[in-house]
Amino acid sequence: MNQETSMKQETSMKIGIIGAGFVGRAIAKLGIGAGHQVMLSNSRGVQTLFSLRPMLGCEIGSVEEAIAFGDIVVIAVPLSAIQQLPAALLAGKAVMDAVNYYPERDGHIAELDSHQITTSEMLAQQLPQARITKAFNAIPMTDLEADGLPAGNAHRRALPLAGDDSTGKQHVIQLYDQFGFDSVDAGALAEGWRFERGMPAYCVRMTAAELKQTLAEAVLPG
């Protein structure tokens, strides 16, 4: 066993993913490449995912099975679907929130339009006992798969995260690094607005220093 294989095994996680669209599939592909075990699920049933097992090398299952499988659970569904998530099963789980708000898809939500609440805080209302970290929402999935660079590269892209759970944040930082990205912690979950859709840090390629400054200087519209 070589050192790289040993390190992968030592840091290996089980990742359950709810949502098998672009986001779920990209995270699954990269997670498997980094030595993790991954199960993809969606609300439409396991039979709709049968081609992904040979394509990605992941497990497939129901939403309930993916939650039970995962040391961490990635939520990669439209914002309009979060009310369907099984809150009781996600209680106590480390959850990565990759959800974004698109009014043209999700319908207008007054609390979000007026910036009274963040998307992650809205998810936390639905999952009050989950340990939520906002992550993976501020990069196009084509870039997530293509832009990773080794640690220490001066041009390495940085990705933001926010959350109240230190262990959940460490999981995110580990995955970002393994996928080829630096991390910038924006602070508590309530600070997730700093890299939501429409903000200067959203889906813009930046180094860690640039992203840190952009997040700090962010101002809510209006």
Side-chain angles (χ1 to χ4, degrees):
M1 182 185 300
N2 62 36
Q3 184 178 5
E4 181 179 356
T5 301
S6 177
M7 288 178 64
K8 279 188 175 183
Q9 289 183 349
E10 289 174 5
T11 59
S12 177
M13 294 184 286
K14 288 186 174 181
I15 304 172
I17 302 176
I18 302 176
F22 292 120
V23 176
R25 292 199 302 268
I27 294 173
K29 178 181 177 181
L30 293 169
I32 290 166
H36 303 294
Q37 299 177 62
V38 178
M39 180 180 286
L40 271 171
S41 71
N42 66 12
S43 62
R44 296 184 296 132
V46 178
Q47 69 278 6
T48 66
L49 304 172
F50 75 96
S51 64
L52 295 181
R53 191 198 300 259
M55 183 187 303
L56 298 176
C58 64
E59 299 296 322
I60 57 173
S62 66
V63 168
E64 293 77 12
E65 288 169 334
I67 293 170
F69 174 88
D71 300 319
I72 57 176
V73 179
V74 178
I75 306 297
V77 301
L79 182 67
S80 56
I82 64 173
Q83 293 182 350
Q84 301 169 25
L85 296 169
L89 296 181
L90 286 160
K93 283 281 186 177
V95 170
M96 293 184 191
D97 167 27
V99 178
N100 282 310
Y101 171 46
Y102 295 96
E104 59 271 30
R105 178 195 65 191
D106 304 313
H108 280 281
I109 300 172
E111 286 180 298
L112 293 175
D113 289 340
S114 60
H115 306 288
Q116 297 176 46
I117 193 171
T118 67
T119 54
S120 289
E121 289 174 306
M122 184 166 284
L123 180 64
Q125 290 179 348
Q126 296 295 322
L127 310 175
Q129 294 180 289
R131 298 179 290 116
I132 297 170
T133 304
K134 186 72 174 178
F136 288 107
N137 71 299
I139 181 172
M141 291 302 102
T142 50
D143 289 358
L144 186 68
E145 292 191 43
D147 281 5
L149 292 171
N153 188 300
H155 302 290
R156 201 184 204 207
R157 184 170 179 169
L159 299 179
L161 64 139
D164 302 326
D165 178 64
S166 60
T167 301
K169 284 184 173 183
Q170 285 304 313
H171 289 324
V172 170
I173 290 168
Q174 176 184 334
L175 290 180
Y176 277 178
D177 183 57
Q178 290 175 333
F179 294 178
F181 300 89
D182 288 334
S183 301
V184 176
D185 188 343
L189 196 66
E191 299 299 317
W193 64 269
R194 295 180 183 275
F195 52 97
E196 286 183 339
R197 177 176 177 262
M199 298 303 292
Y202 180 74
C203 292
V204 177
R205 187 191 313 273
M206 298 182 192
T207 64
E210 292 167 339
L211 180 57
K212 185 176 181 179
Q213 180 175 352
T214 300
L215 292 171
E217 294 176 349
V219 178
L220 285 170

